[in-house]
């Protein structure tokens, strides 16, 4: 999923890189606790309200200001991986993000069956989380480093190229 937010790239990257911020807009996440610079502990609600799941993850690729890539550690309860890339938006509109997140339940027939039924739910949930991020960073998060004022922002909601999804 890709989108443009009307905040400077360095500010958007710094907000996302502080993993403990993620539950502020990812409604299925109960918490993310940073263990050290590369490792974190995640807790999330299982879709449908049937329980909680916990796992540890590690940042496997990082290009400061440009890219964050992570994956769950081996033998985690759930296999989770993702990456977010950040680049200056064309025309100085803010920051263009490209977000890829995947969840895979434990192996086996039951896990495959659960995955098949939950994939559409997870995809919808992740897209909603990304839209929640756009709303949060643009309207609820105030950073003293931001030099974007409400009056100088271009109206990006009418531009069909701002939000796009990859199948």
């Amino acid at each position: 999923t890709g989108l443009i937010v009307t905040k400077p790239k360095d500010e958007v990257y710094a907000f996302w890189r502080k993993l403990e911020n993620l539950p502020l807009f990812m409604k299925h996440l109960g918490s993310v606790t940073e263990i050290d610079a590369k490792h974190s502990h995640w807790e999330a609600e299982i879709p449908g309200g049937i329980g909680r799941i916990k796992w540890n993850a590690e940042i496997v690729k990082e290009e400061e200001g440009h890219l964050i890539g992570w994956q769950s550690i081996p033998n985690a309860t759930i296999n989770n991986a993702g990456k977010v890339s950040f680049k200056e938006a064309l025309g100085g509109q803010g920051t263009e993000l490209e977000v890829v997140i995947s969840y895979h339940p434990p192996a086996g027939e039951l896990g495959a069956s659960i995955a098949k039924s939950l994939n559409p739910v997870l995809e919808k949930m992740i897209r909603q989380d990304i839209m929640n991020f756009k709303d949060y960073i643009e309207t609820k998060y105030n950073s003293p480093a931001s030099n974007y004022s409400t009056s100088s922002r271009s109206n990006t909601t009418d531009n069909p190229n701002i939000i796009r999804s990859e199948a």
Side-chain angles (χ1 to χ4, degrees):
T1 300
L3 74 152
I4 292 176
V5 296
T6 56
K7 292 283 185 171
K9 180 176 70 78
D10 290 342
E11 181 179 330
V12 174
Y13 173 85
F15 179 86
W16 194 287
R17 180 57 180 88
K18 184 172 171 49
L19 300 176
E20 291 167 346
N21 284 334
L22 299 181
L24 294 172
F25 62 90
M26 292 184 159
K27 301 304 179 196
H28 69 286
L29 287 179
S31 66
V32 178
T33 306
E34 294 181 59
I35 298 168
D36 59 34
K38 295 269 185 208
H39 299 90
S40 52
H41 177 77
W42 299 59
E43 295 188 22
E45 295 293 327
I46 297 173
I50 57 175
R52 289 176 74 86
I53 192 164
K54 302 175 183 182
W55 71 95
N56 288 340
E58 63 183 332
I59 293 176
V60 293
K61 185 169 186 178
E62 183 170 15
E63 296 171 16
E64 191 169 337
H66 300 283
L67 176 78
I68 303 168
W70 69 92
Q71 68 183 21
S72 52
I73 62 168
N75 300 315
T77 308
I78 190 167
N79 292 322
N80 166 262
K83 69 176 182 176
V84 182
S85 61
F86 308 81
K87 62 182 179 181
E88 299 289 338
L90 293 176
Q93 294 183 55
T95 304
E96 183 177 346
L97 286 86
E98 192 65 38
V99 182
V100 178
I101 300 174
S102 64
Y103 291 97
H104 301 283
E109 284 186 39
L110 179 60
S113 173
I114 291 170
K116 187 174 183 177
S117 64
L118 287 181
N119 272 345
V121 174
L122 290 172
E123 184 175 322
K124 182 178 179 182
M125 182 179 68
I126 290 167
R127 286 178 195 219
Q128 185 60 54
D129 285 344
I130 301 310
M131 292 310 299
N132 290 345
F133 171 72
K134 179 174 175 60
D135 178 61
Y136 189 89
I137 196 82
E138 289 181 346
T139 65
K140 296 176 180 79
Y141 177 71
N142 293 314
S143 168
S146 179
N147 59 1
Y148 282 61
S149 68
T150 305
S151 61
S152 68
R153 291 180 188 164
S154 60
N155 183 352
T156 59
T157 57
D158 295 332
N159 185 338
N161 296 320
I162 300 296
I163 308 293
R164 65 186 182 283
S165 291
E166 297 176 6

